[in-house]
Amino acid sequence: MQITLTLNDKKLTADVAPDTLLIDFVRSHGCLSVKRGCETSNCGLCTVFLDDKPVLSCSVLAARADGHKVTTLEGLQDEAAEFGAFIADQGAEQCGFCNPGFIMNALALFREKEYPADEEIKEYLSGNLCRCSGYEGQLRGIQNFLGWKKAKKEAAE
């Protein structure tokens, strides 16, 4: 079957098998930040934005993305680099395997809530599996990022 979608702001038409998962489709088009972790929709490593909403691409057929916009971390480099530096500063990217999914979900959170409370952060990111860090570094990185963002906004006003 043929599908047409926008992948990281580039219109793309491709033939896919009806059972092709979105994770396999985006990876076959060079989006290697999208990773396969659990294959049970529990780890968050395969998170992409489908029409600007986070979805687990291991649980979405590529055909469902026909006519839609798909964004991976490759399509959010500037935004991701700015936030990712705060995570790295806290040593929260030990092996780095979970970082792309974690960053995608954090960016989705920031779009939904400009300055979320700690409990909201923990709840929103609870679907991300990290076997290295215990999540405290990520939480500190998010808190530092939000503090920096708020100070930057106040200075501009």
Side-chain angles (χ1 to χ4, degrees):
M1 78 184 335
Q2 191 173 70
I3 63 170
T4 301
L5 55 84
T6 302
L7 178 61
N8 296 328
D9 296 325
K10 294 179 185 159
K11 192 160 188 158
L12 180 64
T13 299
D15 288 317
V16 297
D19 63 347
T20 301
L21 293 172
L22 186 56
I23 185 173
D24 297 319
F25 180 83
V26 297
R27 285 185 62 82
S28 73
H29 287 86
C31 300
L32 302 181
S33 70
V34 184
K35 298 178 182 171
R36 182 172 262 111
C38 66
E39 299 202 43
T40 59
S41 304
N42 287 311
C43 71
L45 296 176
C46 66
T47 301
V48 301
F49 291 168
L50 182 60
D51 294 333
D52 296 320
K53 300 289 182 199
V55 298
L56 299 171
S57 63
C58 74
S59 299
V60 176
L61 293 172
R64 293 272 183 189
D66 186 32
H68 295 276
K69 174 181 157 187
V70 177
T71 308
T72 68
L73 194 59
E74 287 83 358
L76 300 170
Q77 286 300 299
D78 293 337
E79 193 176 353
E82 183 177 69
F83 168 65
F86 285 86
I87 298 300
D89 185 54
Q90 292 299 314
E93 60 172 11
Q94 291 176 18
C95 81
F97 194 70
C98 69
N99 268 12
F102 181 81
I103 289 173
M104 290 295 290
N105 279 298
L107 294 177
L109 171 62
F110 302 150
R111 290 175 179 191
E112 187 175 313
K113 296 181 178 252
E114 189 172 10
Y115 299 106
D118 286 354
E119 288 308 311
E120 293 171 312
I121 294 168
K122 290 176 184 177
E123 182 180 331
Y124 204 93
L125 301 176
S126 65
N128 285 4
L129 178 64
C130 176
R131 294 186 173 129
C132 299
S133 72
Y135 304 99
E136 288 304 312
Q138 285 102 331
L139 182 58
R140 284 191 310 271
I142 289 172
Q143 291 165 334
N144 290 346
F145 173 74
L146 293 172
W148 170 81
K149 188 171 125 180
K150 192 172 194 174
K152 183 178 168 184
K153 182 179 178 181
E154 289 170 356
E157 293 176 346

